[in-house]
Coordinates of all heavy atoms in Angstrom, one line a residue:
M1 N 113.1 86.5 155.2 CA 111.7 86.8 154.9 C 111.2 85.8 153.9 O 111.8 85.5 152.9 CB 111.7 88.1 154.3 CG 110.3 88.6 154.0 SD 110.1 90.3 153.3 CE 111.0 91.2 154.5
S2 N 110.1 85.2 154.1 CA 109.4 84.3 153.3 C 109.0 85.0 151.9 O 108.6 86.1 151.8 CB 108.1 83.7 153.9 OG 107.4 82.8 153.0
K3 N 109.2 84.2 150.8 CA 108.7 84.7 149.6 C 107.3 84.4 149.1 O 106.8 84.7 148.3 CB 109.6 84.1 148.4 CG 111.1 84.5 148.5 CD 111.2 85.9 148.2 CE 112.6 86.4 148.2 NZ 112.8 87.7 148.0
Q4 N 106.7 83.6 150.0 CA 105.3 83.3 149.8 C 104.4 84.0 150.8 O 104.7 84.2 152.0 CB 105.0 81.7 150.2 CG 105.7 80.7 149.2 CD 105.3 80.9 147.9 OE1 104.0 81.0 147.6 NE2 106.2 80.8 146.9
P5 N 103.3 84.6 150.3 CA 102.4 85.3 151.3 C 101.7 84.4 152.1 O 101.5 83.3 151.8 CB 101.4 86.1 150.2 CG 101.5 85.3 149.1 CD 102.8 84.6 149.0
G6 N 101.3 85.0 153.3 CA 100.5 84.2 154.2 C 101.2 84.1 155.6 O 102.0 84.9 156.0
V7 N 101.0 83.1 156.4 CA 101.4 82.9 157.7 C 102.5 81.9 157.7 O 102.4 80.8 157.0 CB 100.3 82.5 158.7 CG1 101.0 82.3 160.1 CG2 99.3 83.6 158.7
W8 N 103.6 82.1 158.3 CA 104.7 81.1 158.4 C 105.0 80.9 159.9 O 104.7 81.7 160.7 CB 106.0 81.3 157.6 CG 106.8 82.6 158.0 CD1 106.9 83.7 157.4 CD2 107.7 82.6 159.1 NE1 107.7 84.6 158.0 CE2 108.3 83.8 159.1 CE3 108.1 81.7 160.0 CZ2 109.2 84.3 159.9 CZ3 109.2 82.1 161.0 CH2 109.7 83.4 160.8
M9 N 105.3 79.7 160.2 CA 105.7 79.4 161.7 C 107.0 78.8 161.8 O 107.5 78.1 160.9 CB 104.6 78.3 162.2 CG 103.2 79.0 162.3 SD 102.1 77.7 162.8 CE 101.7 77.1 161.1
E10 N 107.7 79.0 163.0 CA 109.0 78.4 163.3 C 109.1 78.0 164.6 O 108.8 78.9 165.5 CB 110.2 79.5 163.0 CG 111.6 79.0 163.1 CD 112.5 80.2 162.8 OE1 112.1 81.1 162.1 OE2 113.6 79.9 163.4
V11 N 109.6 76.9 165.0 CA 109.7 76.4 166.4 C 110.9 77.1 166.9 O 112.0 77.2 166.4 CB 109.9 74.8 166.4 CG1 110.2 74.4 167.9 CG2 108.7 74.2 165.9
N12 N 110.8 77.6 168.1 CA 111.9 78.2 168.9 C 112.6 77.1 169.6 O 112.1 76.5 170.5 CB 111.3 79.3 169.9 CG 112.3 79.9 170.8 OD1 113.6 79.7 170.5 ND2 112.0 80.7 171.8
G13 N 113.8 76.7 169.1 CA 114.5 75.5 169.5 C 115.5 75.8 170.6 O 116.3 74.9 171.0
Q14 N 115.7 77.1 171.1 CA 116.8 77.3 172.1 C 116.3 78.3 173.1 O 115.4 79.1 172.9 CB 118.0 77.6 171.4 CG 117.9 78.9 170.5 CD 119.1 79.1 169.6 OE1 120.2 78.8 170.1 NE2 119.0 79.5 168.4
G15 N 117.1 78.4 174.2 CA 116.9 79.4 175.2 C 115.8 79.2 176.2 O 115.2 78.1 176.2
E16 N 115.4 80.1 176.9 CA 114.4 80.1 177.9 C 113.1 79.7 177.5 O 112.3 79.0 178.2 CB 114.4 81.4 178.7 CG 113.4 81.5 179.8 CD 113.3 82.9 180.4 OE1 114.2 83.8 180.1 OE2 112.4 83.1 181.2
Y17 N 112.8 80.1 176.2 CA 111.4 79.8 175.7 C 111.5 78.7 174.6 O 110.6 78.6 173.7 CB 110.9 81.0 175.1 CG 110.7 82.1 176.1 CD1 111.7 83.2 176.2 CD2 109.7 82.2 176.9 CE1 111.6 84.2 177.1 CE2 109.6 83.3 177.8 CZ 110.6 84.2 177.9 OH 110.5 85.2 178.9
A18 N 112.4 77.8 174.7 CA 112.6 76.6 173.7 C 111.2 75.9 173.8 O 110.6 75.6 174.8 CB 113.7 75.8 174.1
G19 N 110.8 75.5 172.6 CA 109.6 74.7 172.3 C 108.4 75.5 172.1 O 107.4 75.1 171.5
G20 N 108.5 76.8 172.2 CA 107.5 77.7 171.7 C 107.5 77.9 170.2 O 108.3 77.3 169.6
L21 N 106.7 78.7 169.7 CA 106.4 78.8 168.3 C 106.4 80.4 168.0 O 105.7 81.0 168.5 CB 105.1 78.1 168.0 CG 104.7 78.0 166.5 CD1 105.7 77.0 165.7 CD2 103.4 77.5 166.4
Y22 N 107.1 80.6 166.9 CA 107.1 82.1 166.3 C 106.2 81.9 165.1 O 106.1 81.0 164.4 CB 108.5 82.5 165.8 CG 109.5 82.8 166.8 CD1 110.5 81.9 167.1 CD2 109.3 84.0 167.6 CE1 111.5 82.3 168.1 CE2 110.2 84.3 168.5 CZ 111.3 83.4 168.9 OH 112.3 83.7 169.8
V23 N 105.2 82.9 165.1 CA 104.3 83.0 164.1 C 104.4 84.4 163.4 O 104.5 85.4 164.1 CB 102.9 82.8 164.5 CG1 101.8 82.8 163.3 CG2 102.7 81.5 165.2
R24 N 104.4 84.5 162.0 CA 104.5 85.7 161.4 C 103.6 85.8 160.1 O 103.6 84.8 159.4 CB 105.9 86.1 160.8 CG 106.0 87.2 160.0 CD 107.4 87.6 159.8 NE 107.9 88.4 160.8 CZ 109.1 89.0 160.9 NH1 109.8 88.9 159.7 NH2 109.5 89.7 161.8
W25 N 102.9 86.9 159.9 CA 102.2 87.0 158.6 C 103.2 87.6 157.7 O 103.9 88.5 158.0 CB 101.0 88.0 158.9 CG 100.4 88.4 157.7 CD1 99.5 87.6 157.1 CD2 100.5 89.6 157.0 NE1 99.0 88.2 155.9 CE2 99.6 89.6 155.9 CE3 101.3 90.7 157.2 CZ2 99.5 90.6 154.9 CZ3 101.0 91.8 156.2 CH2 100.2 91.7 155.1
S26 N 103.2 87.1 156.6 CA 104.2 87.5 155.4 C 103.4 88.1 154.2 O 102.6 87.6 153.7 CB 105.0 86.3 155.0 OG 105.8 86.6 154.0
A27 N 104.0 89.3 153.9 CA 103.5 90.0 152.6 C 104.6 90.5 151.9 O 105.0 91.6 151.8 CB 102.5 91.2 153.1
P28 N 105.3 89.5 151.1 CA 106.5 89.7 150.5 C 106.4 90.9 149.5 O 107.4 91.8 149.4 CB 107.0 88.5 149.9 CG 105.8 87.6 149.9 CD 104.9 88.1 150.9
E29 N 105.3 90.9 148.7 CA 105.3 92.0 147.6 C 105.2 93.4 148.3 O 105.9 94.4 147.9 CB 104.2 91.8 146.7 CG 104.3 90.6 145.8 CD 103.1 90.4 145.0 OE1 102.3 91.3 144.7 OE2 103.1 89.2 144.3
L30 N 104.4 93.5 149.4 CA 104.3 94.8 150.1 C 105.6 95.1 150.8 O 106.1 96.3 150.8 CB 103.3 94.6 151.2 CG 102.8 95.9 151.9 CD1 102.2 96.9 151.0 CD2 101.7 95.4 153.0
A31 N 106.3 94.2 151.3 CA 107.7 94.4 151.9 C 108.7 94.9 151.0 O 109.4 95.8 151.2 CB 108.2 93.1 152.6
E32 N 108.7 94.2 149.8 CA 109.6 94.6 148.8 C 109.4 96.0 148.3 O 110.3 96.8 148.0 CB 109.6 93.6 147.6 CG 110.3 92.2 148.1 CD 110.1 91.1 147.1 OE1 109.6 91.3 145.9 OE2 110.3 89.9 147.5
A33 N 108.1 96.3 148.0 CA 107.8 97.7 147.5 C 108.3 98.7 148.6 O 108.9 99.7 148.2 CB 106.3 97.8 147.4
G34 N 108.2 98.5 149.9 CA 108.6 99.3 151.0 C 110.1 99.5 151.0 O 110.6 100.6 151.0
M35 N 110.9 98.4 150.9 CA 112.3 98.4 150.8 C 112.8 99.1 149.6 O 113.8 99.9 149.7 CB 112.8 97.0 151.0 CG 112.7 96.4 152.4 SD 113.3 94.8 152.7 CE 112.3 93.6 151.8
R36 N 112.1 98.8 148.5 CA 112.7 99.5 147.4 C 112.5 101.0 147.3 O 113.3 101.7 147.0 CB 111.8 98.9 146.1 CG 112.3 99.3 144.7 CD 111.6 98.5 143.6 NE 110.2 98.4 143.7 CZ 109.6 97.3 144.0 NH1 110.3 96.2 144.1 NH2 108.3 97.2 144.1
A37 N 111.3 101.4 147.9 CA 111.1 102.8 148.1 C 112.1 103.5 149.0 O 112.7 104.6 148.6 CB 109.6 103.2 148.6
V38 N 112.4 102.9 150.0 CA 113.4 103.4 151.0 C 114.8 103.6 150.4 O 115.4 104.5 150.5 CB 113.6 102.6 152.3 CG1 114.7 102.9 153.1 CG2 112.2 102.7 153.1
A39 N 115.1 102.5 149.6 CA 116.5 102.4 149.0 C 116.6 103.4 147.9 O 117.6 104.2 147.8 CB 116.7 101.0 148.4
E40 N 115.6 103.5 146.9 CA 115.6 104.4 145.9 C 115.6 105.9 146.3 O 116.2 106.8 145.8 CB 114.4 104.1 145.0 CG 114.5 102.8 144.1 CD 113.3 102.5 143.4 OE1 112.4 103.3 143.3 OE2 113.4 101.4 142.7
R41 N 114.8 106.2 147.3 CA 114.7 107.5 147.8 C 115.6 107.9 148.9 O 115.6 109.1 149.3 CB 113.2 107.8 148.1 CG 112.2 107.7 147.1 CD 110.9 108.0 147.5 NE 109.8 107.3 146.7 CZ 108.9 106.7 147.1 NH1 108.5 106.8 148.4 NH2 108.0 106.1 146.3
Q42 N 116.3 106.9 149.3 CA 117.2 107.2 150.6 C 116.3 107.8 151.7 O 116.9 108.8 152.3 CB 118.3 108.0 150.2 CG 119.3 107.4 149.2 CD 120.0 106.2 149.8 OE1 120.6 106.2 150.8 NE2 119.8 105.0 149.1
D43 N 115.2 107.3 151.9 CA 114.2 108.0 152.8 C 113.6 106.8 153.7 O 112.8 106.1 153.3 CB 113.1 108.5 152.1 CG 112.1 109.2 153.0 OD1 112.3 109.3 154.2 OD2 111.0 109.7 152.5
P44 N 114.1 106.6 155.0 CA 113.6 105.6 155.8 C 112.1 105.8 156.2 O 111.5 105.0 156.7 CB 114.5 105.6 157.1 CG 115.1 107.0 157.1 CD 115.1 107.4 155.6
A45 N 111.6 107.0 155.9 CA 110.2 107.3 156.3 C 109.3 107.2 155.0 O 108.2 107.9 155.0 CB 110.0 108.5 156.9
A46 N 109.7 106.5 154.0 CA 109.0 106.4 152.7 C 107.6 105.9 153.1 O 107.4 105.0 153.8 CB 109.7 105.5 151.6
P47 N 106.5 106.5 152.4 CA 105.2 106.0 152.7 C 104.9 104.6 152.5 O 104.1 104.0 153.1 CB 104.3 106.9 151.7 CG 105.2 108.1 151.3 CD 106.6 107.6 151.4
E48 N 105.6 104.0 151.4 CA 105.4 102.6 151.3 C 106.0 101.6 152.4 O 105.4 100.7 152.7 CB 106.0 102.1 149.8 CG 105.6 102.8 148.7 CD 106.1 104.2 148.3 OE1 106.8 104.8 149.2 OE2 105.9 104.6 147.2
W49 N 107.1 102.1 153.0 CA 107.6 101.4 154.0 C 106.7 101.5 155.3 O 106.4 100.7 156.0 CB 109.0 101.9 154.4 CG 109.6 101.1 155.5 CD1 109.9 101.6 156.8 CD2 109.9 99.7 155.5 NE1 110.3 100.5 157.6 CE2 110.4 99.5 156.8 CE3 110.0 98.7 154.5 CZ2 110.9 98.2 157.1 CZ3 110.5 97.4 154.9 CH2 110.9 97.2 156.1
K50 N 106.2 102.8 155.5 CA 105.3 103.1 156.7 C 104.1 102.3 156.6 O 103.5 101.7 157.5 CB 104.9 104.5 156.8 CG 106.2 105.4 157.3 CD 105.9 106.8 157.2 CE 105.4 107.3 158.6 NZ 105.3 108.7 158.7
R51 N 103.6 102.1 155.3 CA 102.4 101.3 155.1 C 102.6 99.8 155.4 O 101.8 99.2 156.1 CB 101.9 101.4 153.6 CG 100.6 100.6 153.5 CD 100.1 100.8 152.0 NE 98.8 100.1 151.7 CZ 98.9 99.0 150.9 NH1 99.9 98.8 150.2 NH2 97.7 98.4 150.7
Y52 N 103.7 99.3 154.9 CA 104.2 97.9 155.3 C 104.2 97.8 156.8 O 103.7 96.8 157.5 CB 105.4 97.6 154.6 CG 106.0 96.2 155.1 CD1 105.4 95.0 154.8 CD2 107.2 96.2 155.9 CE1 105.9 93.9 155.2 CE2 107.6 95.0 156.3 CZ 106.9 93.8 156.0 OH 107.4 92.6 156.5
A53 N 104.9 98.7 157.6 CA 105.1 98.6 159.0 C 103.7 98.6 159.7 O 103.5 97.9 160.7 CB 105.9 99.7 159.5
E54 N 102.8 99.4 159.2 CA 101.4 99.5 159.8 C 100.7 98.2 159.6 O 100.0 97.8 160.4 CB 100.8 100.6 159.2 CG 101.2 102.1 159.7 CD 100.5 103.2 158.9 OE1 99.7 103.0 158.0 OE2 101.0 104.4 159.1
V55 N 100.8 97.7 158.5 CA 100.1 96.4 158.1 C 100.7 95.3 159.0 O 99.9 94.4 159.5 CB 100.1 96.0 156.6 CG1 99.6 94.6 156.4 CG2 99.4 97.0 155.9
V56 N 102.0 95.3 159.1 CA 102.6 94.2 160.0 C 102.1 94.3 161.5 O 101.7 93.3 162.1 CB 104.2 94.3 160.0 CG1 104.8 93.5 161.1 CG2 104.7 93.8 158.7
L57 N 102.0 95.6 162.0 CA 101.5 95.7 163.4 C 100.1 95.3 163.4 O 99.6 94.6 164.4 CB 101.7 97.1 163.7 CG 101.3 97.5 165.1 CD1 102.0 96.7 166.1 CD2 101.3 99.0 165.3
L58 N 99.3 95.6 162.5 CA 97.8 95.2 162.5 C 97.7 93.7 162.4 O 96.8 93.1 163.2 CB 97.0 95.9 161.2 CG 96.8 97.4 161.4 CD1 96.3 97.9 160.0 CD2 95.7 97.7 162.5
M59 N 98.5 93.1 161.6 CA 98.4 91.6 161.5 C 98.9 90.9 162.8 O 98.4 89.9 163.3 CB 99.2 91.1 160.4 CG 98.5 91.4 158.9 SD 96.8 90.9 158.9 CE 97.0 89.1 159.0
Q60 N 100.0 91.6 163.4 CA 100.4 91.0 164.7 C 99.4 91.1 165.8 O 99.1 90.1 166.5 CB 101.8 91.7 165.1 CG 102.3 91.3 166.3 CD 103.4 92.1 166.9 OE1 103.2 93.3 167.0 NE2 104.5 91.6 167.3
T61 N 98.8 92.2 165.9 CA 97.7 92.4 166.8 C 96.6 91.4 166.5 O 96.0 90.8 167.4 CB 97.2 93.9 166.7 OG1 98.3 94.8 167.0 CG2 96.1 94.2 167.8
A62 N 96.0 91.3 165.3 CA 95.0 90.3 164.9 C 95.4 88.9 165.2 O 94.6 88.2 165.8 CB 94.7 90.4 163.5
L63 N 96.7 88.4 165.0 CA 97.1 87.0 165.3 C 97.1 86.9 166.8 O 96.6 85.9 167.3 CB 98.5 86.8 164.7 CG 98.6 86.6 163.3 CD1 100.1 86.6 162.8 CD2 98.0 85.4 162.9
I64 N 97.6 87.8 167.5 CA 97.5 87.6 169.0 C 96.1 87.6 169.5 O 95.8 86.7 170.3 CB 98.2 88.9 169.7 CG1 99.7 88.8 169.5 CG2 98.0 88.9 171.2 CD1 100.5 90.0 169.9
G65 N 95.2 88.4 169.0 CA 93.7 88.3 169.4 C 93.1 87.0 169.1 O 92.5 86.3 169.9
I66 N 93.4 86.5 167.8 CA 92.8 85.2 167.4 C 93.3 84.1 168.3 O 92.7 83.3 168.7 CB 93.1 85.0 165.9 CG1 92.2 86.1 165.1 CG2 92.8 83.7 165.5 CD1 92.7 86.2 163.7
L67 N 94.6 84.0 168.4 CA 95.3 83.0 169.2 C 94.8 82.9 170.7 O 94.7 81.9 171.3 CB 96.8 82.9 169.0 CG 97.3 82.6 167.6 CD1 98.8 82.9 167.5 CD2 97.0 81.2 167.3
R68 N 94.7 84.2 171.2 CA 94.2 84.2 172.6 C 92.8 83.7 172.7 O 92.4 83.1 173.8 CB 94.4 85.7 173.2 CG 95.9 85.9 173.5 CD 95.9 87.3 174.1 NE 97.4 87.6 174.5 CZ 97.9 88.6 174.8 NH1 97.1 89.8 174.7 NH2 99.2 88.8 175.1
L69 N 92.0 84.1 171.8 CA 90.6 83.6 171.8 C 90.6 82.1 171.8 O 89.7 81.4 172.2 CB 89.7 84.2 170.6 CG 89.4 85.7 170.9 CD1 88.6 86.2 169.6 CD2 88.4 85.7 172.1
A70 N 91.5 81.5 171.0 CA 91.6 80.0 170.9 C 92.2 79.5 172.2 O 92.6 78.2 172.2 CB 92.4 79.6 169.6
R71 N 92.6 80.3 173.2 CA 93.1 79.9 174.5 C 94.6 79.6 174.5 O 95.0 78.7 175.2 CB 92.3 78.8 175.1 CG 90.9 79.3 175.2 CD 89.8 78.3 175.9 NE 90.3 78.0 177.3 CZ 90.0 76.8 177.8 NH1 89.2 75.8 177.1 NH2 90.4 76.6 178.9
F72 N 95.3 80.1 173.5 CA 96.8 80.0 173.5 C 97.5 81.1 174.4 O 96.9 82.2 174.4 CB 97.3 80.0 172.1 CG 97.1 78.8 171.2 CD1 96.0 78.8 170.5 CD2 97.8 77.6 171.4 CE1 95.7 77.6 169.7 CE2 97.6 76.6 170.6 CZ 96.5 76.5 169.8
S73 N 98.6 80.8 174.9 CA 99.4 81.8 175.7 C 100.3 82.5 174.7 O 101.2 81.8 174.1 CB 100.1 81.1 176.7 OG 101.1 82.0 177.4
V74 N 100.1 83.7 174.3 CA 100.8 84.2 173.2 C 101.2 85.8 173.6 O 100.4 86.3 174.2 CB 99.9 84.2 171.8 CG1 98.6 84.8 172.1 CG2 100.6 84.8 170.8
V75 N 102.3 86.2 173.0 CA 102.8 87.6 173.2 C 103.4 88.0 172.0 O 103.8 87.3 171.1 CB 103.7 87.6 174.5 CG1 103.1 87.3 175.7 CG2 105.0 86.9 174.2
R76 N 103.6 89.4 171.9 CA 104.4 89.9 170.8 C 105.8 89.4 171.0 O 106.4 89.2 172.0 CB 104.5 91.5 171.0 CG 103.2 92.2 170.8 CD 103.2 93.7 171.0 NE 104.4 94.2 170.2 CZ 105.0 95.4 170.5 NH1 104.7 96.0 171.5 NH2 105.9 95.7 169.6
A77 N 106.4 88.8 169.9 CA 107.6 88.0 169.9 C 108.8 89.1 170.5 O 109.8 88.5 171.0 CB 108.0 87.6 168.6
E78 N 108.6 90.3 170.3 CA 109.7 91.2 170.7 C 109.9 91.1 172.4 O 111.0 91.3 172.9 CB 109.3 92.7 170.5 CG 109.2 93.1 169.1 CD 107.9 92.9 168.4 OE1 107.1 91.9 168.8 OE2 107.4 93.8 167.7
E79 N 108.9 90.6 173.1 CA 109.0 90.4 174.5 C 109.9 89.2 174.8 O 110.4 89.0 175.9 CB 107.5 90.2 175.1 CG 106.8 91.4 175.0 CD 105.3 91.2 175.5 OE1 105.1 90.3 176.5 OE2 104.4 91.9 175.2
V80 N 110.1 88.2 173.8 CA 110.8 87.0 174.1 C 112.2 87.2 173.3 O 113.3 86.7 173.8 CB 110.1 85.8 173.4 CG1 110.9 84.6 173.4 CG2 108.8 85.6 174.2
D81 N 112.3 87.9 172.1 CA 113.5 88.0 171.4 C 113.4 89.3 170.6 O 112.5 89.4 169.7 CB 113.4 86.8 170.3 CG 114.6 86.9 169.4 OD1 115.5 87.8 169.3 OD2 114.7 85.7 168.6
D82 N 114.3 90.2 170.9 CA 114.2 91.7 170.6 C 114.5 91.7 169.0 O 114.3 92.8 168.4 CB 115.1 92.5 171.3 CG 116.6 92.1 171.2 OD1 116.9 91.0 170.7 OD2 117.3 92.9 171.7
V83 N 114.8 90.7 168.3 CA 115.0 90.8 166.8 C 113.9 90.2 166.1 O 113.9 90.0 164.9 CB 116.4 90.1 166.4 CG1 117.7 90.9 167.0 CG2 116.4 88.6 166.6
A84 N 112.9 89.7 166.8 CA 111.7 89.0 166.2 C 110.5 90.0 166.0 O 109.4 89.7 166.1 CB 111.3 87.8 167.0
E85 N 111.0 91.3 165.7 CA 109.9 92.4 165.6 C 108.8 92.0 164.5 O 109.1 91.6 163.4 CB 110.5 93.7 165.1 CG 109.6 94.8 165.2 CD 110.3 96.1 165.1 OE1 111.4 96.1 165.0 OE2 109.5 97.1 164.7
G86 N 107.5 92.0 165.0 CA 106.5 91.8 164.0 C 105.9 90.4 164.1 O 104.9 90.1 163.7
D87 N 106.7 89.5 164.7 CA 106.4 88.1 165.0 C 105.4 88.0 166.3 O 105.3 88.9 167.0 CB 107.5 87.2 165.2 CG 108.3 87.1 164.1 OD1 108.0 87.6 162.9 OD2 109.3 86.2 164.1
V88 N 104.8 86.9 166.4 CA 104.1 86.5 167.7 C 104.7 85.3 168.2 O 105.2 84.4 167.4 CB 102.6 86.2 167.2 CG1 101.8 85.6 168.4 CG2 101.9 87.5 166.6
H89 N 104.8 85.2 169.5 CA 105.3 84.0 170.1 C 104.3 83.3 170.9 O 103.7 83.9 171.9 CB 106.5 84.4 171.1 CG 107.3 83.2 171.6 ND1 106.9 82.5 172.7 CD2 108.3 82.5 170.9 CE1 107.9 81.4 172.9 NE2 108.6 81.5 171.8
V90 N 104.1 82.0 170.6 CA 103.2 81.2 171.3 C 104.1 80.3 172.4 O 104.9 79.5 171.8 CB 102.4 80.2 170.4 CG1 101.4 79.3 171.2 CG2 101.7 81.1 169.3
H91 N 103.6 80.4 173.6 CA 104.4 79.7 174.6 C 104.2 78.3 174.6 O 102.9 77.8 174.6 CB 104.2 80.3 176.0 CG 104.5 81.7 176.1 ND1 105.9 82.0 176.2 CD2 103.9 82.9 176.2 CE1 106.0 83.3 176.4 NE2 104.8 83.9 176.4
A92 N 105.1 77.4 174.7 CA 104.9 76.0 174.6 C 104.3 75.4 176.0 O 103.5 74.4 175.9 CB 106.3 75.3 174.4
D93 N 104.8 76.0 177.1 CA 104.4 75.4 178.3 C 102.9 75.7 178.7 O 102.4 75.2 179.7 CB 105.3 75.8 179.5 CG 105.4 77.3 179.6 OD1 104.8 78.1 178.7 OD2 106.0 77.8 180.6
A94 N 102.3 76.6 178.2 CA 100.9 77.1 178.6 C 99.9 77.1 177.4 O 98.9 77.6 177.6 CB 101.0 78.4 179.3
M95 N 100.2 76.4 176.3 CA 99.3 76.3 175.2 C 97.9 75.8 175.6 O 97.9 74.8 176.2 CB 99.9 75.6 174.1 CG 101.0 76.1 173.3 SD 101.5 74.9 172.1 CE 101.7 76.1 170.7
G96 N 97.0 76.7 175.3 CA 95.6 76.2 175.6 C 95.1 76.1 176.9 O 94.0 75.6 177.2
R97 N 96.0 76.4 178.0 CA 95.7 76.3 179.4 C 95.5 77.6 180.1 O 94.7 77.6 181.0 CB 96.7 75.5 180.0 CG 97.1 74.2 179.4 CD 95.9 73.2 179.4 NE 96.3 72.0 178.8 CZ 95.8 71.6 177.7 NH1 94.8 72.2 177.1 NH2 96.1 70.5 177.1
E98 N 96.0 78.7 179.6 CA 96.0 80.0 180.3 C 94.6 80.5 180.0 O 93.9 80.4 179.0 CB 97.1 80.9 179.8 CG 98.0 81.3 181.0 CD 99.1 82.1 180.5 OE1 98.9 83.1 179.8 OE2 100.2 81.7 180.8
N99 N 94.2 81.5 180.9 CA 92.9 82.2 180.9 C 91.8 81.3 180.6 O 90.9 81.6 179.8 CB 93.0 83.2 179.7 CG 94.3 84.2 180.0 OD1 94.4 84.5 181.0 ND2 94.9 84.6 178.9
S100 N 91.8 80.1 181.4 CA 90.6 79.2 181.2 C 89.4 79.8 181.7 O 89.3 80.5 182.7 CB 90.9 78.0 182.0 OG 92.0 77.3 181.4

């Protein structure tokens, strides 16, 4: 997890979707507060963690919408890599060409 707030990107360098790009919105302070609440209370449903998860989902949805409006081929990253929950995956082979 990035320690800086904002958006980070990582090139997908392997597998079927190599050359694509992972994009994630990062809110380290919000994430840390959620993780701390879960650990201190031994409660995986702590409201702070639920809030963080809701914000991640909202940001993922917003990023997908914005990138699609810019004509990028983009999906929830979970469709490409099941451990990339919350990320967005921009496909390398169809950038800016799909949905013309």
